[in-house]
Amino acid sequence: QVQLVESGGGLVQAGNSLRLSCAASGLTRGAYNMGWFRQAPGKEREFVAAIRWTDWTGPTTDFTDSVKGRFTLSKDNAENTVYLQMNNLEAEDTAVYYCALGRKASWESEDYMYWGQGTQVTVST
């Protein structure tokens, strides 16, 4: 009974920062990969970033080229919550952002089993 709840979206000016949260419930022990995707109007959904962890290793992260150096990922170990910190936002970052949960590292949406409801991020210039 896995559920993902997203929050943190909003309207920001270019150059500012925003932090998105994805709270997961119903997780069991093992390996997980939480990905972040975004979809802008008229465009296909695209991979943004992912964080993966296991019971025996710390988290590792991966980012698409367009957000490298600007976005970071972190995980709250006490709570099953992942944070996507978005810095130096650009107009091109405007999209609905989705978190998704899978079992392995992947840039493909079909490899994720559970999805959050999405949160709108709008960056003004």
Side-chain angles (χ1 to χ4, degrees):
Q1 201 169 10
V2 175
Q3 185 179 17
L4 305 180
V5 178
E6 299 180 52
S7 62
L11 173 64
V12 298
Q13 191 172 16
N16 287 356
S17 299
L18 200 63
R19 189 179 74 163
L20 305 184
S21 300
C22 184
S25 61
L27 301 186
T28 60
R29 302 289 297 275
Y32 285 100
N33 180 80
M34 183 173 288
W36 290 85
F37 295 80
R38 65 187 182 188
Q39 187 167 22
K43 295 185 178 181
E44 297 292 325
R45 183 174 296 179
E46 66 172 342
F47 173 83
V48 177
I51 182 169
R52 51 193 176 273
W53 69 94
T54 71
D55 291 338
W56 55 91
T57 61
T60 58
T61 58
D62 192 23
F63 302 90
T64 193
D65 287 343
S66 63
V67 306
K68 286 181 179 177
R70 299 189 296 119
F71 291 10
T72 60
L73 280 166
S74 61
K75 179 178 180 291
D76 187 334
N77 292 324
E79 304 286 340
N80 287 318
T81 302
V82 169
Y83 303 96
L84 178 65
Q85 179 69 43
M86 305 184 294
N87 300 317
N88 194 24
L89 284 162
E90 305 169 352
E92 292 75 17
D93 297 317
T94 295
V96 176
Y97 283 70
Y98 299 88
C99 63
L101 190 67
R103 284 290 190 175
K104 66 176 184 179
S106 177
W107 288 23
E108 303 296 329
S109 61
E110 55 264 29
D111 290 325
Y112 292 84
M113 298 175 292
Y114 306 97
W115 291 80
Q117 80 281 6
T119 185
Q120 176 71 49
V121 172
T122 303
V123 183
S124 63
T125 59

